[in-house]
Amino acid sequence: MPYPMQLGFQDATSPIMEELTYFHDHTLMIVFLISSLVLYIIILMLTTKLTHTSTMDAQEVETIWTILPAVILVLIALPSLRILYMMDEIYNPYLTIKAMGHQWYWSYEYTDYEDLTFDSYMIPTQDLAPGQLRLLEVDNRVVLPMELPIRVLISSEDVIHAWTVPSLGLKADAIPGRLNQATLTSTRPGVYYGQCSEICGSNHSFMPIVLEMTTLKYFEKWSSMMQ
């Protein structure tokens, strides 16, 4: 969960989100160094009248400021491509669930079970229990086992939605007539919140996503009770 006045990302819960956080810090450091260098040069040009004609017209300087940006772009692109491929790879998922977007709620289907489907609606503010979060709690949570690869199939039945859980590094568009795929693996138990992040109508802000990551034993018990 984010907290008030938070500047960074939410705490990473999946290996993919940890990689994304490291990549963010790596890129931000490069941006900081470039910005500092440019600011230093601007200040130097404004505060001194000294110039060096051979430096201003030197071929070596032009070569450096052409090659150096290319090297920096490579240093950014290689980790980025690595993470992109990691996000697309799925190795023998233990479980597959299907998330369908509607105006304005989500429906879920556990495709590995014979009859395990339910709709997930936001709990209205007046019905919240003490300690529950406004605009984020739902009547039916998605319960999943932790430390296991899980495939999520995402689509929509009306307009474009987006199934997003920031702490897991997940964001995939739910498009009518198209089936998108994502993978998630939680490294620890907990309750993780997300929301639709694609403007989908008047109640766009009122279709939250809640994942409850538990142990495999509890998940099997829950699934047997829901069937």
Side-chain angles (χ1 to χ4, degrees):
M1 277 293 298
Y3 53 85
M5 305 300 291
Q6 180 175 344
L7 296 179
F9 293 119
Q10 298 182 25
D11 292 338
T13 310
S14 68
I16 292 296
M17 190 57 195
E18 290 178 0
E19 293 288 339
L20 290 171
T21 304
Y22 295 149
F23 176 69
H24 169 267
D25 297 341
H26 165 75
T27 308
L28 197 63
M29 183 55 64
I30 294 176
V31 172
F32 173 75
L33 293 175
I34 294 173
S35 303
S36 301
L37 178 61
V38 172
L39 181 63
Y40 171 73
I41 293 174
I42 292 175
I43 294 174
L44 204 61
M45 293 176 65
L46 294 176
T47 56
T48 181
K49 296 181 179 180
L50 299 177
T51 57
H52 198 298
T53 55
S54 62
T55 301
M56 299 299 291
D57 299 329
Q59 188 71 32
E60 293 80 4
V61 175
E62 295 185 6
T63 303
I64 291 173
W65 71 39
T66 301
I67 295 177
L68 190 59
V71 173
I72 293 173
L73 289 176
V74 170
L75 292 176
I76 295 175
L78 291 180
S80 175
L81 292 173
R82 172 176 167 269
I83 296 174
L84 282 174
Y85 279 104
M86 289 175 60
M87 294 174 69
D88 284 338
E89 291 178 351
I90 296 181
Y91 295 107
N92 297 324
Y94 174 81
L95 185 68
T96 299
I97 65 169
K98 184 166 65 175
M100 296 291 295
H102 307 265
Q103 288 181 310
W104 288 269
Y105 65 95
W106 294 97
S107 61
Y108 298 97
E109 177 183 349
Y110 289 69
T111 59
D112 298 289
Y113 294 82
E114 184 175 352
D115 187 21
L116 184 48
T117 61
F118 55 84
D119 296 329
S120 181
Y121 289 87
M122 186 195 75
I123 299 178
T125 303
Q126 63 271 18
D127 297 333
L128 290 174
Q132 289 186 325
L133 302 170
R134 179 178 173 269
L135 301 183
L136 288 177
E137 297 290 350
V138 296
D139 54 356
N140 290 310
R141 293 177 174 178
V142 180
V143 180
L144 296 171
M146 65 177 188
E147 297 180 339
L148 292 172
I150 298 167
R151 176 170 53 196
V152 185
L153 304 177
I154 302 159
S155 187
S156 172
E157 288 196 355
D158 37 50
V159 299
I160 297 177
H161 302 277
W163 201 78
T164 307
V165 184
S167 58
L168 290 169
L170 286 175
K171 182 177 181 181
D173 286 340
I175 302 174
R178 176 173 177 176
L179 203 61
N180 286 333
Q181 180 175 268
T183 180
L184 67 91
T185 303
S186 175
T187 56
R188 61 177 184 268
V191 179
Y192 305 104
Y193 296 89
Q195 289 179 303
C196 174
S197 57
E198 188 75 41
I199 297 176
C200 56
S202 59
N203 290 335
H204 157 68
S205 303
F206 308 115
M207 47 185 304
I209 301 158
V210 183
L211 301 184
E212 183 175 347
M213 310 302 296
T214 66
T215 61
L216 180 60
K217 182 178 179 180
Y218 178 85
F219 170 75
E220 294 292 350
K221 180 179 178 182
W222 173 85
S223 61
S224 62
M225 292 173 57
M226 292 291 292
Q227 286 182 299

